[in-house]
Amino acid sequence: MSSCLISQAEVQSFIERCMMAVGTQPHHAHSLAEVLVEGDHRGHYSHGLNRMDMYVKDIQSGICAKDGEPVVKKETAATALVDGKNLLGPVVGNFCMNLAIKKAEDVGIGWVVAHGSNHYGIAGYYAMQALKKNLIGMAFTNTSPLVVPTRGKECTLGTNPISVAAPANDGDSFVLDMATSAVALGKIELHDRRKDPIPEGWGCDPQGKLTTDPKKVVNGGGLVPIGGNEETGGYKGYGLGMMVEVFCGILAGAQYSKHIRTWKVTDRVANLADPNLPVLTAGDPERMNMKKCEEMGGIPYHINVVNFMNDCAKNVGVSKLLPCDRLVSN
Amino acid sequence: MSSCLISQAEVQSFIERCMMAVGTQPHHAHSLAEVLVEGDHRGHYSHGLNRMDMYVKDIQSGICAKDGEPVVKKETAATALVDGKNLLGPVVGNFCMNLAIKKAEDVGIGWVVAHGSNHYGIAGYYAMQALKKNLIGMAFTNTSPLVVPTRGKECTLGTNPISVAAPANDGDSFVLDMATSAVALGKIELHDRRKDPIPEGWGCDPQGKLTTDPKKVVNGGGLVPIGGNEETGGYKGYGLGMMVEVFCGILAGAQYSKHIRTWKVTDRVANLADPNLPVLTAGDPERMNMKKCEEMGGIPYHINVVNFMNDCAKNVGVSKLLPCDRLVSN
């Protein structure tokens, strides 16, 4: 593959001039260009120059606002809620991160959430802003639904990235910047184009089953959360994806996966991959266990555990566990 | 399987009396018992009564301190560093969480780290304390090394759990409480005892390769991070595990995986699963890309991308990307 080498300064300037040509304010264009150049520079081309035309179109069509600045709607010494006024994502992202850094410098930590924002490029860009002040930075964003939750068959979660940047000695740093899906959709599309199978654990078919056929993922299936299927811990990635929805969608009063609220209502049954395996939310399995305990009137322990514990009690000279009056089977 | 049903109150009292019998202060024994009962109640038996003898031994052997209280070493309005004085984990955990909640009520968020702590049961217990105040709770802890990082073959990370609890309507809540390993070691030991194979993606052999033989995992191999191997995104789980080390070990001035600091030194090579695939830390792949860009003197873009972008530029009436003076192959 032959590539064309372009200086960062030129890519920066190119994006600025394209964005300004469609009416973006110069300092907003500058913010966007910085994030996209950083994306390319770090090797994440999917979040760099390659995305510029989308931002151009968003401005041209009026989907993103050209004018105005983000506004703080509510704040405490360490937190804030920001209305991004539908400006370009990097404009809102920078505003929030700068505010969080200022708060962290004042009171030790800052946590800022925003609604009215848009595509903001790589999450790592924002987390890394904190490094300049020798602070740990975190950035999260929810995104359009592309991920099928464990046991589900409909895309209801975004790829919802998590980024954490921590300064280290001698200018070194730890920079985690990961989607909570197993892989990006682009990787699956690439395999589809090449007619190559995908590894087990990247995506599922329209029935919610893991598949190695990229076409099924692209046509009505979806990405799976990091961890793959239920057996290999996909519910952990699903939980992390929902955590990001909580932080970025619900906490911010912003948009969030349109189906979250209906997951537990009855019309959801039609959307289950397997009706015997209902879609669960983090905390649900424990809630079911607690309900079972309450129904039974206690916590069931295997008799061997009880015996072992009573030996412990004897060793330290205290009375046994109260003799249980019944055995249960489970 | 037949089980013995015991009331929560009795399990609570049993743990308290065993712990007090070996000299634990009553309110410390109470704290420990509460966390362990909650573990069982939520169905996480691996973190409940079953662990009591370990805590008893820790007190008997003097590994955990019987007397004293945790101390705040340093604080800001929203953060604190706590010295747990080597007390029982739940004593330190509760102290930190209560302090974090108080700070959150004062300034919007509280973030407390501790050194000098011990095993603290389920992370979710602490995160859930925040729910009582209608706050979002987070809890993390690093643990003894059991997890082999992507491309490595030595256990250098703990199972490092992440817990996030968020209040919802009508007493409902979202409670994420997950280890950053694909599964718990106990699950693999169980398969080993039953002589059942384990699913691909749970653990690796002493050479760092995924295996379905539980014996290899237990004897010199290790757990793998959530996501499994590199192809299916195990580096994401590895990154999350390191994030927890950063939060709980490094940030707190506490113990952390003894090998983190030596991962990049030359004697580490002997510990690679494949010398052509060096163990990386979150941020390393991007750093390598940036280095490559700097060596080349620019960012390489595929010629088609450049052409596409120049079409965009033309459409909006601005000048093209500066003609590159050379093509590079990559």
Side-chain angles (χ1 to χ4, degrees), chain B residues 298-330:
Chain B
I299 301 175
Y301 289 98
H302 191 279
I303 190 74
N304 294 352
V305 173
V306 175
N307 290 339
F308 178 80
M309 289 301 152
N310 281 337
D311 285 345
C312 286
K314 199 176 163 193
N315 288 339
V316 298
V318 300
S319 59
K320 288 184 181 188
L321 275 166
L322 266 194
C324 59
D325 54 357
R326 62 196 173 102
L327 293 177
V328 292
S329 310
N330 58 356

Side-chain angles (χ1 to χ4, degrees), chain B:
Chain B
M1 179 176 107
S2 84
S3 292
C4 188
L5 204 65
I6 304 173
S7 75
Q8 286 166 249
E10 170 58 8
V11 184
Q12 172 81 27
S13 150
F14 177 77
I15 297 171
E16 288 183 20
R17 61 188 185 253
C18 288
M19 293 303 293
M20 288 192 292
V22 293
T24 312
Q25 293 183 60
H27 65 294
H28 290 180
H30 181 82
S31 291
L32 175 66
E34 276 213 328
V35 182
L36 299 187
V37 173
E38 184 72 8
D40 286 338
H41 191 203
R42 294 178 71 75
H44 300 305
Y45 285 94
S46 57
H47 288 68
L49 175 62
N50 194 41
R51 283 261 179 98
M52 191 197 65
D53 63 311
M54 181 191 79
Y55 296 99
V56 167
K57 280 182 205 141
D58 282 351
I59 291 288
Q60 284 178 318
S61 65
I63 279 183
C64 283
K66 291 176 202 176
D67 297 311
E69 298 299 332
V71 168
V72 176
K73 301 284 282 184
K74 208 171 145 183
E75 84 187 299
T76 66
T79 64
L81 169 64
V82 166
D83 179 353
K85 295 287 181 186
N86 202 28
L87 291 157
L88 286 167
V91 173
V92 185
N94 282 338
F95 182 89
C96 291
M97 199 64 201
N98 290 337
L99 186 56
I101 287 172
K102 200 182 160 302
K103 287 176 183 291
E105 289 179 322
D106 287 348
V107 293
I109 182 170
W111 190 282
V112 177
V113 296
H115 57 248
S117 187
N118 289 289
H119 259 270
Y120 82 165
I122 55 167
Y125 176 83
Y126 306 95
M128 285 188 294
Q129 299 308 308
L131 298 180
K132 298 174 187 167
K133 303 282 186 173
N134 207 32
L135 295 169
I136 293 177
M138 291 189 251
F140 310 87
T141 185
N142 57 349
T143 70
S144 307
L146 282 174
V147 175
V148 177
T150 308
R151 296 189 177 182
K153 60 181 190 177
E154 190 185 353
C155 293
T156 47
L157 284 175
T159 50
N160 296 3
I162 296 174
S163 179
V164 175
N169 288 337
D170 304 322
D172 200 0
S173 57
F174 167 83
V175 182
L176 178 68
D177 187 6
M178 55 169 270
T180 50
S181 55
V183 293
L185 186 61
K187 277 202 187 178
I188 290 174
E189 289 169 337
L190 206 64
H191 279 69
D192 185 29
R193 249 172 273 143
R194 289 182 189 148
K195 303 199 187 305
D196 283 341
I198 53 170
E200 183 93 8
W202 281 19
C204 65
D205 66 18
Q207 281 71 48
K209 299 284 171 207
L210 283 192
T211 179
T212 57
D213 180 355
K215 209 164 281 307
K216 291 184 178 163
V217 178
V218 175
N219 298 325
L223 300 175
V224 294
I226 171 79
N229 65 6
E230 185 162 359
E231 190 181 57
T232 50
Y235 51 88
K236 295 184 178 188
Y238 162 35
L240 290 168
M242 267 198 74
M243 175 191 81
V244 175
E245 296 283 349
V246 169
F247 286 169
C248 303
I250 297 167
L251 189 59
Q255 295 261 333
Y256 58 94
S257 166
K258 61 183 171 164
H259 297 287
I260 285 183
R261 277 205 176 139
T262 60
W263 273 355
K264 287 186 186 173
V265 303
T266 47
D267 69 358
R268 175 70 188 175
V269 173
N271 190 33
L272 290 176
D274 178 347
N276 296 317
L277 295 172
V279 177
L280 303 171
T281 294
D284 281 347
E286 291 84 358
R287 212 168 279 126
M288 287 155 64
N289 196 76
M290 290 186 282
K291 190 159 173 273
K292 208 176 74 179
C293 290
E294 271 127 45
E295 282 165 5
M296 292 191 298
I299 301 175
Y301 289 98
H302 191 279
I303 190 74
N304 294 352
V305 173
V306 175
N307 290 339
F308 178 80
M309 289 301 152
N310 281 337
D311 285 345
C312 286
K314 199 176 163 193
N315 288 339
V316 298
V318 300
S319 59
K320 288 184 181 188
L321 275 166
L322 266 194
C324 59
D325 54 357
R326 62 196 173 102
L327 293 177
V328 292
S329 310
N330 58 356

Side-chain angles (χ1 to χ4, degrees), chain A residues 27-101:
Chain A
H27 65 294
H28 290 179
H30 181 81
S31 291
L32 174 67
E34 277 213 328
V35 182
L36 299 187
V37 172
E38 185 72 8
D40 285 338
H41 191 204
R42 294 179 70 76
H44 300 305
Y45 285 94
S46 56
H47 288 67
L49 175 62
N50 195 40
R51 283 260 179 99
M52 190 197 67
D53 63 311
M54 181 191 79
Y55 296 99
V56 167
K57 278 182 206 142
D58 282 352
I59 291 288
Q60 285 179 317
S61 65
I63 279 183
C64 282
K66 292 176 203 177
D67 297 309
E69 299 298 332
V71 168
V72 176
K73 299 285 283 183
K74 208 170 146 184
E75 84 186 300
T76 68
T79 63
L81 169 65
V82 166
D83 179 351
K85 295 288 181 186
N86 202 28
L87 292 156
L88 286 167
V91 173
V92 184
N94 283 337
F95 182 90
C96 291
M97 200 63 202
N98 290 337
L99 186 56
I101 288 173

